[in-house]
Amino acid sequence: MDSTLLVSFPNASVGGNGWRRGNLNKSFSVRVSRSRAWDILERYGGVGSQQHLLKHHTRNTKEQSAFYRRHGKRLLVNATAGHPLESEPGAYNSKSIWNSIKNAIDAFYRFSRPHTVIGTALSIISVSLLAVENLSDFSPLFFKGVLEAVVAALLMNIYIVGLNQLSDIDIDKVNKPYLPLASGEYSVGTGIMIVTSFLILSFWLGWVVGSWPLFWALFISFVLGTAYSINLPLLRWKRSAVVAAMCILAVRAVIVQLAFFLHMQIHVYKRPAAFSRPLIFATAFMSFFSVVIALFKDIPDIDGDKIFGIRSFTVRLGQKRVFWICISLLEMAYGVAVLVGASSGFLMSKCITVLGHVILALILWNRAKSVDLNSKAAITTFYMFIWKLFYAEYLLIPLVR
């Protein structure tokens, strides 16, 4: 198979049937066999200890590149099977840098567990809206307070999910091999650096803002998130199904609702603490939802949990039973939400909350009946659908009055 050989010799010329040194600067290309091309390079590109050869191989060996340097000589070779290739080093480097940036962003995206990031941001915004009493409350102060809370909480969220991955590398190689630590894209040192940096930034921001409800929300989340994952005596609470569920319930249902509401109520609006009807509903409803998430997240992870001795409810009771327990809990929660909405004194609130929860309950039931519980991919997809219902609920909560 032929290849195109592009050669540049700053201090060489061609004459007769051979090569000789001269004072011309020539650039030319010839078509030779691949093996002949490499023979020419080996012979004339430089010999001895000062000859440097760099070969870049891509998958399937479709492209090879080599650079030779010796006493000011520069020889550039690009060989591609059956096709001449004349890419410039600058263009190649730009493409390589861009690919590296895209890969780094993709790896961090997976490391951050984006479904939890979206859930955290939506929940804080939704609960903050519960503190709004009239249109004049939508001031720059409101948006500043929400932004402070969201950023600080997201930093803590990434610390928690990152620490969990650091503690579960071997388990994730079975359950979630696409995560950066499990796949080897991130080293343990890189993971530690990321979670430590985000933890420090979260506490720093919470301290600078000066909101005690916000700071305590971050601190309690840190304590529970660390105790849930880290493998130390008396810790790694995720090994106990009940304690693990309580950790998730405490953060997602109680801390998010109460602490961030108080952050807006006390720190931003300077009002006395007051637990309104919508806030109580949000806390109760999200308690159900948090238990469902805590139970359901282990259904697709049953294989790894069995291997490493994690006694989740799924391991104990089986996937099918836990699956339908989760569906039943959510349907009960939607039923209660319909009753709460129907009792509202505001017609708009009544119509939207009742109709919204009825629609969500019907969609959930319809999707649940079609899930193949023998397929890990199908269960994982449905788990992400549960998170979408979680997001949808936080869109409805501010309308409960």
Side-chain angles (χ1 to χ4, degrees), residues 53-72:
L53 176 62
L54 173 63
K55 297 180 181 179
H56 176 74
H57 295 280
T58 62
R59 190 168 293 177
N60 300 323
T61 65
K62 289 184 177 179
E63 180 175 328
Q64 297 177 352
S65 298
F67 290 94
Y68 285 79
R69 291 186 177 85
R70 184 175 183 269
H71 298 295

Side-chain angles (χ1 to χ4, degrees), residues 298-319:
D298 294 326
I299 297 178
D301 294 345
I302 188 171
D303 294 333
D305 289 349
K306 282 182 178 178
I307 293 171
F308 292 94
I310 303 297
R311 299 290 295 166
S312 66
F313 280 112
T314 303
V315 172
R316 294 178 179 183
L317 304 177
Q319 290 177 303

Side-chain angles (χ1 to χ4, degrees), residues 331 334-335 337-338 352-364 396:
E331 294 292 356
Y334 283 132
V338 168
I352 294 176
T353 54
V354 170
L355 185 60
H357 287 106
V358 167
I359 291 173
L360 291 178
L362 291 174
I363 293 173
L364 170 64
L396 290 173

Side-chain angles (χ1 to χ4, degrees), residues 80-385:
T80 303
H83 301 282
L85 182 64
E86 298 180 355
S87 62
E88 293 294 329
Y92 175 80
N93 289 336
S94 297
K95 185 177 181 181
S96 177
I97 291 171
W98 176 240
N99 286 337
S100 297
I101 292 172
K102 288 196 297 183
N103 291 337
I105 293 172
D106 177 64
F108 182 75
Y109 177 82
R110 285 178 280 120
F111 181 80
S112 67
R113 308 296 280 148
H115 60 283
T116 66
V117 169
I118 296 170
T120 298
L122 271 178
S123 61
I124 293 171
I125 294 171
S126 178
V127 170
S128 297
L129 289 170
L130 294 180
V132 174
E133 295 179 355
N134 48 63
L135 289 177
S136 63
D137 285 342
F138 287 108
S139 63
L141 200 62
F142 168 82
F143 294 103
K144 177 175 177 289
V146 172
L147 183 63
E148 291 167 343
V150 168
V151 173
L154 291 185
L155 292 171
M156 183 59 69
N157 188 96
I158 293 174
Y159 161 77
I160 291 171
V161 298
L163 180 66
N164 188 55
Q165 291 173 65
L166 282 168
S167 303
D168 284 357
I169 293 177
D170 291 333
I171 298 176
D172 286 340
K173 287 178 181 178
V174 178
N175 292 336
K176 304 180 185 76
Y178 54 85
L179 294 178
L181 284 165
S183 67
E185 292 172 84
Y186 281 177
S187 65
V188 173
T190 299
I192 292 174
M193 180 189 69
I194 292 173
V195 299
T196 303
S197 300
F198 276 73
L199 176 65
I200 292 171
L201 286 172
S202 179
F203 275 131
W204 173 80
L205 182 58
W207 182 262
V208 168
V209 168
S211 168
W212 283 110
L214 174 60
F215 186 84
W216 279 107
L218 298 174
F219 181 76
I220 296 172
S221 297
F222 159 72
V223 171
L224 294 178
T226 302
Y228 177 88
S229 296
I230 198 165
N231 195 7
L232 291 175
L234 303 179
L235 299 180
R236 195 161 174 79
W237 292 351
K238 67 183 298 178
R239 283 186 293 222
S240 168
V242 175
V243 178
M246 293 303 295
C247 284
I248 295 173
L249 185 149
V251 173
R252 289 285 175 189
V254 180
I255 294 175
V256 168
Q257 321 308 317
L258 301 183
F260 289 103
F261 175 82
L262 292 175
H263 164 69
M264 297 300 296
Q265 184 81 355
I266 298 174
H267 176 73
V268 175
Y269 290 131
K270 310 299 182 184
R271 297 168 182 160
F275 299 102
S276 62
R277 178 174 177 268
L279 179 64
I280 295 171
F281 165 77
T283 305
F285 188 94
M286 283 304 164
S287 295
F288 275 89
F289 225 123
S290 299
V291 170
V292 169
I293 288 176
L295 295 176
F296 207 103
K297 73 179 184 61
D298 294 326
I299 297 178
D301 294 345
I302 188 171
D303 294 333
D305 289 349
K306 282 182 178 178
I307 293 171
F308 292 94
I310 303 297
R311 299 290 295 166
S312 66
F313 280 112
T314 303
V315 172
R316 294 178 179 183
L317 304 177
Q319 290 177 303
K320 184 176 181 179
R321 184 177 295 180
V322 174
F323 177 87
W324 286 109
I325 288 174
C326 291
I327 301 303
S328 300
L329 287 173
L330 272 186
E331 294 292 356
M332 287 171 56
Y334 283 132
V336 172
V338 168
L339 294 177
V340 171
S343 65
S344 173
F346 299 91
L347 181 61
M348 179 75 70
S349 173
K350 180 182 297 188
C351 293
I352 294 176
T353 54
V354 170
L355 185 60
H357 287 106
V358 167
I359 291 173
L360 291 178
L362 291 174
I363 293 173
L364 170 64
W365 185 256
N366 186 59
R367 284 287 298 267
K369 291 189 299 182
S370 63
V371 175
D372 180 6
L373 295 178
N374 295 317
S375 169
K376 181 176 179 178
I379 295 172
T380 302
T381 300
F382 192 83
Y383 173 60
M384 299 313 299
F385 169 71

